[in-house]
Amino acid sequence: MTDTDAPRPVRRLVATVAVAGTLVAGALVSTSAGAREGDLVSGYTADARRSAAEAADAERRPHRHAGAARSADGHGHDHSDPTTKNALSRSGDAGAGDPTSAAEKATHAASVAAGRRTPEPELTTVPLREPRALHPADRYDLAGGCYTLVDGGEPLFFQATDLGRYLLHDTDRRLVSASGDRAAEPGDDTVWAARDQGARIAFDHDGTTLRVGGRTSFRPTRADGCSRYPESQVNVSGDPFAGVSPYQEVRGYVDAHTHGMAFEFLGGGAHCGKPWDRFGAPYALVDCEDHQAGTNPLEAALSGRPIHDPVGWPTFTDWPAPDSLTHEGTYYRWMERSWRGGQRLFVNLLVENNQLCRLYPFGPDGTPVSKNSCDDMDSVRLQAQRMYELQDYVDAQWGGPGEGWYRIVTDPWQARRVINQGKLAVVMGIETSVPFGCTFRAGPTGDRAACDAAEIDRQLDEVHALGVRQMELVNKFDNALSGVAGDTGETGVVVNSANFLETGSYWDMEHCEPGTPGAHDREQLAAPEISADQQDALFGAIGKVFGTLGTDLPVYPRPAHCNQRGLTTLGEHVIDGLARRKMLFDPDHMSVAARDAALDQVEEMGYSGVLSSHSWSTPDAYPRIYELGGFVAPYAGDSTGFVEKWRRHVEWADPRYYFGIGYGADMNGLGAQGDPRGADVPNPVTYPFEGLGGVTVHQQHAGRRVYDLNVDGVAQYGLYPDWIEDLRLVAEQQSGEGSAIATDMARGAEAYLQTWERAQGIAPDPCRNPDLRVTPTRFRSLVRRRMGGRAVMAAVGQPYLRRDLSYTYCARAAEDPEVRMVVGLTASGRVADVRRA
């Protein structure tokens, strides 16, 4: 492989896709049956545009295509249960390329079932909050409390805006202002910085000291009668579950792919709302300025609804919703509900696409709305900064630095400690089209990469220092690292045009027979569609609605297609760099040729740090990822579709490794969420229900809105505990497997952590891998008193069981090929003793 593969000639036709402010329907469509293969063209006459618009409008309404499973237009799907959202592989044909035999599938499923029968780790609960003392311990302890500042004074509610900074909210729902008046709305002059003065606390605002009853420092006293500051509710009762030790096996759900900082994505102009605001939900959960007329071309294109109610908080009439991809879905209180309901690991992908950022430049009055750089890496840096700011904000609400439930982690041991504390471990990742500036320009003598190995290494070190630990090489465009899987339909037309603007070349798709290697990349001649259930529809919609791409579009031969652009030597260098830095590599979105080469590379390296996070790999790749000791989190989608994906992944699971499964929500602009099954199904979610760890999950209230998964679907992130309950109900009704899927989901965080440990160079456990067993004598010589747990694993591999303060391993003796060895740990995690069980 080289970085200068010569471009392949393709036939082209001229088309202009999109007009700013209007939805233009039109794309590559097939001609009559008499047309020669490969001579498919697209007409852009007024009649054709009108017909395409009418067809697109019909497509948005629930319907089923007649005929075969895949119709001639390339759809073959039911919009009430869209295959694009529930497909086993979002990057191509899910029916081809599965190398696993029926006997192997049965063996794998049996091993997963055996794993479910192993003893569960002992769990406990931790107080959601410590009881509030009569007087706050320090300035951070005021957060969320009702206090009087002087004897007989009015009760004030202390709403944290940042660490040690507060709004003072009175019983009339007004705010204490530095001007001496009471303000109806928060602003800069209503934010007070608390300052510890021994046992007392003073409050300042830009040199103005708060004075009450002649005093300037106070010993706040707990009180009743406050008016609480407006905020979204959580509606989960019960204390969070936790481990009984920091070192034991964890329980909890894992979302391996969501975009929590997407409000800074695409220049910060396309996404409406944000995950937090210093003044809370009424200011975070608002619509964009260019939505205030009740219509927005981008939102209309994505949701299929020409108008929507622009009011967010407190009514939320039309958004958030499963198909509303321009509005905020991961508000921090909704994330808190998911954590309270059982989620314990969250991967936040920093995301950008510079070309599409440039295509979304205008607001309703024609002025630029992009406030951020469109450069992919600038956006990555900004979003990483925002993650730490959110961590601080959550800390501010929960009593001070380190006290909050949102904890950014950088290694699996830190993540395990956080989860066993009952908190949410947050992993930072990257999914962007031009990582490290590694685009290329195609030329007559070959491609010219815009980066080199030294620049890649410098930026890998930079993002690692930021905290990034999971990464994809491509997203929407071919780049100097890898070819891309591509997109279908009109989304594919627009993104392919943007690919040309970025690189000077189009996707190099050639015909290959279904079932042959590489025949899983996206079919580029599907009829145009832009609807709520189309995967990653945001990209096509932005280009189609707001961009003018006057480029020569290629005419491809008939499907199936293979992108001939594979993994480059620079791409190999990035994968090697990820492994050397013990970062997790995600091959999603790569062309099949590139992904095959990447998996060949990591197999040769013996590197386990591989995962597929949101179903943008293919069935030929999933077994290879499991065989490497990797982790898979299918795209969440609808509950019914996810249950089917779970069954297939159980059949691919490798018996040599611990199995658990996660999901990739892909929330916030990049993926439609799960639709409701309906309130009239025989097995709806019934509220309240028992969540993981024994908590009670009630219907969620946000402002005046009350959510019901049965009719609302996964409208926002707080409904993922409800969705997981729906998985259990669907699996139980279909096959009596409700308990099985619930167990595998609860084991997801542990499975992710074990993959991450193996990425650190830790060998898999010798119980599941008999060839790794040593004799009891050798085991005792390797595991010595006072060694730390991480050193133990470096010496003898991962434990088979992690219970409280003990690790269980397997050794071998002449008289017994499976001798159980127990490593006892002290409370500080050091070896206390080694014994045969």
Side-chain angles (χ1 to χ4, degrees):
M1 286 169 288
T2 70
D3 298 317
T4 57
D5 299 326
R8 304 173 68 89
V10 293
R11 287 165 291 174
R12 294 183 170 89
L13 57 93
V14 177
T16 298
V17 182
V19 176
T22 59
L23 179 62
V24 178
L28 298 173
V29 294
S30 49
T31 59
S32 65
R36 289 179 294 127
E37 179 183 307
D39 286 342
L40 307 182
V41 296
S42 178
Y44 282 85
T45 65
D47 287 344
R49 287 198 297 270
R50 189 179 309 111
S51 298
E54 291 170 355
D57 183 65
E59 273 290 303
R60 295 189 188 100
R61 297 189 292 272
H63 67 281
R64 184 182 297 276
H65 287 276
R70 178 172 288 277
S71 58
D73 68 1
H75 290 80
H77 61 259
D78 175 2
H79 277 235
S80 64
D81 182 20
T83 58
T84 51
K85 184 160 53 177
N86 298 318
L88 190 66
S89 170
R90 300 167 76 194
S91 68
D93 184 1
D98 181 359
T100 315
S101 70
E104 288 171 330
K105 290 177 180 179
T107 299
H108 299 169
S111 74
V112 172
R116 296 184 196 118
R117 294 191 293 270
T118 57
E120 282 290 298
E122 184 181 352
L123 299 178
T124 186
T125 59
V126 292
L128 188 62
R129 286 184 181 272
E130 295 294 338
R132 195 172 289 277
L134 182 62
H135 305 290
D138 57 27
R139 61 191 177 118
Y140 303 118
D141 204 25
L142 288 162
C146 179
Y147 296 95
T148 58
L149 295 181
V150 297
D151 291 343
E154 65 177 324
L156 296 171
F157 184 82
F158 285 75
Q159 174 67 25
T161 63
D162 201 344
L163 284 165
R165 295 178 177 270
Y166 298 95
L167 301 175
L168 279 55
H169 192 244
D170 69 18
T171 54
D172 294 326
R173 303 183 185 278
R174 299 174 73 82
L175 300 161
V176 176
S177 169
S179 67
D181 299 325
R182 295 296 170 97
E185 301 292 338
D188 287 343
D189 65 342
T190 65
V191 177
W192 295 90
R195 180 164 41 87
D196 290 326
Q197 290 187 339
R200 306 179 73 82
I201 300 174
F203 299 90
D204 300 298
H205 174 82
D206 287 346
T208 299
T209 299
L210 181 67
R211 184 180 298 272
V212 178
R215 298 180 182 176
T216 58
S217 66
F218 314 94
R219 194 176 188 205
T221 302
R222 191 182 63 227
D224 297 314
C226 282
S227 295
R228 295 186 67 87
Y229 192 80
E231 190 52 273
S232 178
Q233 295 174 247
V234 173
N235 303 110
V236 175
S237 57
D239 289 331
F241 68 86
V244 297
S245 86
Y247 321 109
Q248 69 176 64
E249 185 174 321
V250 302
R251 283 294 174 267
Y253 309 129
V254 51
D255 176 2
H257 192 114
T258 280
H259 304 284
M261 298 297 135
F263 72 103
E264 300 288 14
F265 169 59
L266 297 179
H271 186 88
C272 307
K274 51 188 176 180
W276 88 99
D277 185 275
R278 62 176 178 154
F279 297 147
Y283 295 83
L285 299 174
V286 295
D287 215 338
C288 294
E289 290 184 11
D290 58 346
H291 288 223
Q292 294 309 306
T295 183
N296 173 268
L298 178 59
E299 174 67 11
L302 290 166
S303 69
R305 289 177 274 130
I307 61 173
H308 70 278
D309 183 353
V311 178
W313 177 273
T315 55
F316 298 119
T317 301
D318 285 338
W319 65 270
D323 60 356
S324 181
L325 305 188
T326 67
H327 294 104
E328 180 59 46
T330 59
Y331 183 61
Y332 91 99
R333 290 282 279 179
W334 301 340
M335 290 186 63
E336 180 180 336
R337 186 175 194 269
S338 188
W339 159 63
R340 293 278 302 281
Q343 184 179 354
R344 290 296 181 269
L345 202 150
F346 173 79
V347 182
N348 185 84
L349 278 297
L350 313 173
V351 60
E352 191 52 84
N353 185 293
N354 68 88
Q355 288 295 335
L356 297 179
C357 175
R358 296 185 181 107
L359 293 178
Y360 193 86
F362 302 115
D365 60 354
T367 59
V369 297
S370 295
K371 57 186 175 63
N372 304 330
S373 167
C374 286
D375 179 83
D376 289 51
M377 297 310 294
D378 286 346
S379 189
V380 162
R381 295 178 189 102
L382 177 61
Q383 291 175 49
Q385 174 187 331
R386 295 290 184 253
M387 287 181 67
Y388 288 104
E389 290 172 0
L390 176 57
Q391 180 175 257
D392 286 346
Y393 183 79
V394 174
D395 281 355
Q397 311 308 312
W398 287 75
E403 296 298 319
W405 49 266
Y406 182 100
R407 310 309 314 157
I408 298 171
V409 297
T410 55
D411 67 52
W413 293 278
Q414 182 187 17
R416 187 176 298 278
R417 290 193 298 272
V418 164
I419 294 171
N420 279 322
Q421 290 170 354
K423 299 184 179 184
L424 180 71
V426 180
V427 179
M428 190 183 298
I430 290 177
E431 178 190 39
T432 186
S433 293
V434 188
F436 313 134
C438 284
T439 188
F440 70 92
R441 295 301 297 178
T445 59
D447 300 341
R448 186 177 71 255
C451 63
D452 58 26
E455 182 63 16
I456 288 170
D457 288 340
R458 184 190 69 77
Q459 293 192 66
L460 269 174
D461 287 340
E462 179 189 5
V463 299
H464 187 273
L466 287 175
V468 172
R469 294 297 184 271
Q470 180 176 314
M471 185 168 177
E472 298 175 28
L473 267 60
V474 291
N475 183 225
K476 288 294 148 185
F477 304 152
D478 293 334
N479 60 33
L481 310 176
S482 171
V484 73
D487 288 272
T488 57
E490 193 158 345
T491 293
V493 172
V494 176
V495 179
N496 201 3
S497 296
N499 192 91
F500 180 84
L501 295 180
E502 176 66 31
T503 67
S505 66
Y506 296 96
W507 299 325
D508 193 4
M509 299 287 182
E510 290 192 353
H511 171 73
C512 42
E513 290 301 319
T516 60
H520 309 295
D521 293 319
R522 298 306 296 172
E523 296 180 5
Q524 298 306 311
L525 293 177
E529 174 184 357
I530 192 74
S531 62
D533 56 28
Q534 187 171 343
Q535 62 267 358
D536 289 358
L538 177 65
F539 291 95
I542 287 176
K544 187 165 63 172
V545 176
F546 293 98
T548 300
L549 305 179
T551 64
D552 294 340
L553 298 177
V555 175
Y556 293 110
R558 63 182 175 84
H561 292 129
C562 315
N563 188 348
Q564 300 303 297
R565 187 173 183 86
L567 185 69
T568 70
T569 53
L570 286 175
E572 292 175 341
H573 184 79
V574 171
I575 294 171
D576 180 69
L578 293 173
R580 283 189 284 108
R581 292 165 180 83
K582 307 182 189 330
M583 298 165 69
L584 299 176
F585 162 57
D586 185 348
D588 279 12
H589 286 290
M590 298 176 85
S591 68
V592 169
R595 185 165 47 248
D596 282 349
L599 293 177
D600 287 345
Q601 179 182 347
V602 293
E603 286 168 353
E604 184 176 348
M605 295 164 60
Y607 188 62
S608 287
V610 184
L611 80 160
S612 171
S613 66
H614 65 326
S615 295
W616 270 93
S617 288
T618 42
D620 59 313
Y622 296 131
R624 297 180 70 181
I625 292 171
Y626 283 120
E627 288 168 7
L628 282 161
F631 178 78
V632 179
Y635 181 49
D638 298 339
S639 55
T640 49
F642 189 89
V643 169
E644 292 304 314
K645 286 181 275 194
W646 162 72
R647 290 195 180 101
R648 292 292 301 277
H649 281 278
V650 165
E651 294 175 340
W652 287 324
D654 193 300
R656 295 174 298 166
Y657 307 103
Y658 183 102
F659 180 79
I661 196 166
Y663 55 93
D666 208 1
M667 187 174 277
N668 270 357
L670 300 179
Q673 301 302 297
D675 287 327
R677 288 194 295 128
D680 57 349
V681 296
N683 60 337
V685 172
T686 302
Y687 295 95
F689 61 86
E690 183 177 328
L692 188 59
V695 298
T696 302
V697 181
H698 306 266
Q699 283 186 260
Q700 187 182 11
H701 296 239
R704 299 175 199 160
R705 180 74 183 269
V706 181
Y707 289 97
D708 179 348
L709 184 85
N710 301 297
V711 296
D712 296 315
V714 185
Q716 37 91 344
Y717 205 79
L719 294 169
Y720 265 102
D722 314 50
W723 177 82
I724 290 172
E725 170 69 1
D726 206 34
L727 298 182
R728 186 187 68 80
L729 295 169
V730 169
E732 184 62 28
Q733 182 191 47
Q734 290 181 352
S735 55
E737 295 179 294
S739 176
I741 193 171
T743 298
D744 290 352
M745 295 295 288
R747 289 161 60 94
E750 177 64 34
Y752 184 102
L753 293 187
Q754 291 203 20
T755 287
W756 199 0
E757 286 175 349
R758 290 189 287 272
Q760 304 286 313
I762 305 299
D765 78 85
C767 292
R768 294 182 179 90
N769 297 269
D771 57 317
L772 298 180
R773 295 174 192 170
V774 298
T775 65
T777 300
R778 177 63 175 159
F779 189 92
R780 288 192 181 95
S781 72
L782 292 170
V783 181
R784 301 178 301 279
R785 287 176 60 86
R786 302 191 62 77
M787 286 178 69
R790 185 170 179 173
V792 170
M793 284 186 251
V796 292
Q798 294 177 308
Y800 177 65
L801 298 175
R802 310 177 195 220
R803 295 293 176 265
D804 190 2
L805 295 176
S806 69
Y807 293 158
T808 299
Y809 286 90
C810 290
R812 58 174 172 80
E815 70 282 5
D816 186 351
E818 187 173 304
V819 178
R820 292 295 174 100
M821 304 293 294
V822 176
V823 178
L825 303 175
T826 66
S828 63
R830 297 197 170 273
V831 175
D833 63 89
V834 181
R835 62 188 184 277
R836 290 179 68 149

